[in-house]
Amino acid sequence: MSSSPRSSLEEGAPLLSEQTSRDTSPAPPLPVQHTKKKPWVLLTAMVFVLITIVDAGAFLAEPPKTRVFEANLCLRYYEENDPSKIDKNGSVPEALCKIDEVQQKLAMIFGWQDTFDAIPGLILAIPFGALADKWGRKWIFVAALGGLQLNSAWILLICYFRSLPLQMTWFSSAFYLLGGGPVVASAVGITMISDIAPPDKRTTIFLYLTASVLIAEMCAPIMASTLMQKGVWFPLLLALAIQQVGVTIGVFFPETLHLRDLPEPRDAEDVSIELQTKGEGHGFKVQLKHFKSALLLLTSDLTLTLVVCLFVVNRLGRQATTLLIRYASKRYNWEISKAAYLLSFRAATNLVAVAVFIPIVNITLIKYLRLPVHWADLWLMRGSLCITAIGFLAIAVASQPTILIFGLLIFNLGTGSAAAMRSVSLHVVGGQSSPDVGKLMSLVAVSENIGVMLAGPLLNEALKKGMDLGSAWLGLPFFGVFVLYILATVVSCIISVKDRDLAYVEVATDEEADVVNARTSALEERPSTRHVGAH
């Protein structure tokens, strides 16, 4: 695969200099200055639509998939222990499936599924991030969406043949090798937005991206609950078809790599600094070098290290919300189709928080308290983490549905943490036009995959332990997440973003440093738009 040609959307950009055009070696497009504004609004809207479609399919499938898994395990349990509970249609009433033996087995299946799903992204996030910087974002994104599609299809296949053990659904994680899984897809999608979004609007755009996902989460469970009244398979197949629409749209989406606001070079010598060796290829050794470079970026700045670590906690916390349907169904003896309405309620109230409450807070911090954008993002991150912790505590002790709903309302006010953390991390590496953005998003993807890997077995084991201890302890996984968010809040108070001129920092490997050092003497007496450091 080769780098995509410049989009026709950039027709207003001037031609490259004659000196550059005479270079026949295959080099990435050089920084240019646009004579027209980029159509970032249209492209951002297209990304929003694409992500909303894909997420709608995922949210639509979640309640019926949970019910299919539960019914499968429930039938197996009563076949072995009490066949009289099985009706003439070969099924068991849902009310009889809330026993601990079935729910604990269900927790085990989902827990290890989350862990196996995270492994491909953990291994491939850095290589795919490097390839996204080299080749472009589009096809990495499409490959990831294709992997999600095949993953869902395999799970449906296993569920359709009841004689097959549900543990075979774990093999669906192998399809994430195609594109790195959902976390890598999310990271590449965020990177595409970072390519085209103005820096002063980045946090707001990230928040409205969250809002687009919440619209899907709000509508899909209601649709799923309605369709489940007529059976569980129709919403599952519909979800698969919706995800296929998303993959098709992704194929026709324009490349965004060359739409970044790259700093204009001062002269030809500045342009000639090229850290990536031309024609170096993409073999295993090259990917190890990219991995080393990304780790050097992580260890080069303590602030960046702390922010990236917060993504682990935040991802783990968000995974806890996947227990919500099973938690409410077990604790209040609700049918899964009824418990699914909690997801729509959470999404609706979360949408209000994202679209109204958090932007108002952000505007207040910037315009009225006159904080710099990066300091406003930092304070928004701190407050969101603290509020999220309080919300999880309320959910953990929710002996009544009203307390659970109150906890969800508080939890929703902390939705801005992820967007603020991404914006803070982008500031730390030098802004959206930094050449390290791809590495940063890869590091974020790795940290989030670590969070998913830890969340799967830990949260579901905590849920099983809570069942053993009694109904009062069913909220044990949410209490554990509460403790983690308290620690994350403390860490966020340690983090400080110094006011700095956005001089972009490129972290070089040892081999790259040799190339840079050989050319440094000619530029020592002139200021540069990019500081190159070997670590």
Side-chain angles (χ1 to χ4, degrees):
M1 183 182 297
S2 60
S3 177
S4 300
R6 280 186 176 273
S7 169
S8 59
L9 295 173
E10 286 193 293
E11 291 175 352
L15 296 176
L16 300 179
S17 64
E18 294 180 2
Q19 177 180 356
T20 304
S21 63
R22 286 194 298 266
D23 186 3
T24 58
S25 59
L30 296 174
V32 296
Q33 185 177 8
H34 298 286
T35 59
K36 295 182 180 179
K37 292 183 178 180
K38 294 183 303 181
W40 65 269
V41 175
L42 175 61
L43 292 178
T44 302
M46 291 177 65
V47 176
F48 282 15
V49 171
L50 176 58
I51 293 178
T52 301
I53 289 175
V54 174
D55 284 338
F59 289 124
L60 178 62
E62 195 61 31
K65 184 178 73 173
T66 302
R67 176 56 192 146
V68 168
F69 277 39
E70 181 186 72
N72 185 296
L73 296 173
C74 188
L75 179 62
R76 292 175 185 274
Y77 174 80
Y78 283 106
E79 283 177 343
E80 297 177 0
N81 295 278
D82 191 357
S84 64
K85 303 296 186 191
I86 303 174
D87 59 26
K88 60 181 181 180
N89 296 322
S91 59
V92 179
E94 184 174 348
L96 299 178
C97 298
K98 308 305 176 184
I99 58 176
D100 290 349
E101 291 82 358
V102 173
Q103 295 301 317
Q104 288 179 344
K105 188 69 175 292
L106 185 63
M108 184 270 293
I109 294 291
F110 276 109
W112 285 107
Q113 182 71 65
D114 290 342
T115 298
F116 294 137
D117 283 349
I119 292 176
L122 186 62
I123 297 174
L124 299 174
I126 297 297
F128 277 131
L131 294 179
D133 285 342
K134 176 75 174 181
W135 289 343
R137 329 295 195 193
K138 173 182 176 178
W139 294 112
I140 302 298
F141 191 54
V142 171
L145 295 182
L148 296 177
Q149 177 81 340
L150 294 174
N151 174 281
S152 299
W154 176 265
I155 291 176
L156 294 188
L157 181 66
I158 299 303
C159 290
Y160 181 77
F161 296 101
R162 289 190 175 186
S163 59
L164 298 176
L166 274 183
Q167 284 84 344
M168 289 190 66
T169 59
W170 294 342
F171 289 101
S172 65
S173 302
F175 292 107
Y176 285 164
L177 295 172
L178 181 61
V183 176
V184 172
S186 176
V188 175
I190 293 292
T191 304
M192 294 167 70
I193 294 177
S194 299
D195 288 339
I196 58 182
D200 59 329
K201 296 180 175 61
R202 188 190 304 131
T203 297
T204 302
I205 288 173
F206 284 157
L207 286 171
Y208 282 100
L209 174 62
T210 304
S212 68
V213 175
L214 290 174
I215 291 175
E217 185 178 356
M218 179 177 63
C219 299
I222 295 176
M223 185 185 303
S225 297
T226 302
L227 295 176
M228 285 176 67
Q229 303 302 321
K230 299 180 180 180
V232 295
W233 282 100
F234 179 68
L236 286 172
L237 295 175
L238 179 61
L240 196 66
I242 291 175
Q243 288 182 316
Q244 181 58 49
V245 172
V247 175
T248 304
I249 293 176
V251 171
F252 295 98
F253 194 84
E255 178 57 63
T256 65
L257 174 63
H258 308 315
L259 297 180
R260 295 180 298 175
D261 282 327
L262 296 174
E264 185 181 6
R266 296 190 180 266
D267 53 33
E269 287 181 318
D270 284 346
V271 175
S272 66
I273 297 180
E274 179 58 57
L275 291 181
Q276 185 165 1
T277 305
K278 297 177 176 63
E280 67 177 352
H282 300 284
F284 180 71
K285 292 183 178 180
V286 175
Q287 299 307 327
L288 285 179
K289 184 166 66 175
H290 288 314
F291 183 76
K292 178 182 178 182
S293 181
L295 289 181
L296 286 172
L297 174 64
L298 178 65
T299 57
S300 65
D301 193 320
L302 178 60
T303 299
L304 179 62
T305 302
L306 293 176
V307 174
V308 170
C309 288
L310 289 180
F311 279 98
V312 178
V313 175
N314 194 60
R315 183 67 180 184
L316 195 155
R318 282 187 291 161
Q319 285 297 114
T321 60
T322 62
L323 300 177
L324 197 59
I325 292 180
R326 287 178 280 146
Y327 172 68
S329 179
K330 171 65 176 176
R331 186 152 201 169
Y332 312 125
N333 200 29
W334 289 352
E335 292 184 354
I336 288 178
S337 59
K338 179 180 179 181
Y341 284 108
L342 283 175
L343 297 181
S344 295
F345 170 78
R346 187 188 78 86
T349 54
N350 208 348
L351 181 60
V352 175
V354 169
V356 180
F357 175 76
I358 297 176
I360 289 176
V361 172
N362 196 44
I363 292 173
T364 301
L365 292 173
I366 294 175
K367 290 190 175 181
Y368 294 97
L369 298 182
R370 299 186 180 280
L371 292 178
V373 174
H374 49 280
W375 279 103
D377 292 334
L378 181 61
W379 280 106
L380 181 61
M381 179 180 73
R382 291 169 176 171
S384 297
L385 290 173
C386 182
I387 291 173
T388 302
I390 298 173
F392 274 120
L393 179 61
I395 295 173
V397 299
S399 57
Q400 299 295 328
T402 52
I403 302 176
L404 176 61
I405 293 174
F406 177 71
L408 288 175
L409 288 173
I410 298 176
F411 169 81
N412 290 336
L413 297 180
T415 304
S417 58
M421 281 191 291
R422 291 187 186 277
S423 193
V424 168
S425 62
L426 281 170
H427 171 79
V428 172
V429 299
Q432 70 181 46
S433 53
S434 167
D436 293 325
V437 169
K439 296 174 186 176
L440 169 65
M441 292 306 170
S442 295
L443 289 171
V444 170
V446 169
S447 65
E448 290 191 324
N449 272 284
I450 291 174
V452 172
M453 289 186 65
L454 294 175
L458 288 179
L459 293 175
N460 284 278
E461 283 298 319
L463 182 61
K464 291 168 60 178
K465 184 65 175 178
M467 293 178 191
D468 291 335
L469 295 175
S471 59
W473 290 91
L474 283 175
L476 185 61
F478 298 102
F479 183 79
V481 173
F482 157 74
V483 174
L484 289 177
Y485 267 94
I486 289 295
L487 295 176
T489 303
V490 174
V491 171
S492 70
C493 292
I494 299 174
I495 293 173
S496 176
V497 285
K498 298 179 181 179
D499 296 317
R500 66 176 82 179
D501 183 22
L502 294 185
Y504 305 125
V505 178
E506 173 75 18
V507 178
T509 61
D510 294 338
E511 296 82 359
E512 293 167 339
D514 293 336
V515 177
V516 174
N517 292 335
R519 321 180 79 129
T520 301
S521 58
L523 302 172
E524 283 181 345
E525 296 182 359
R526 288 194 300 274
S528 174
T529 57
R530 183 184 303 173
H531 172 68
V532 183
H535 302 274

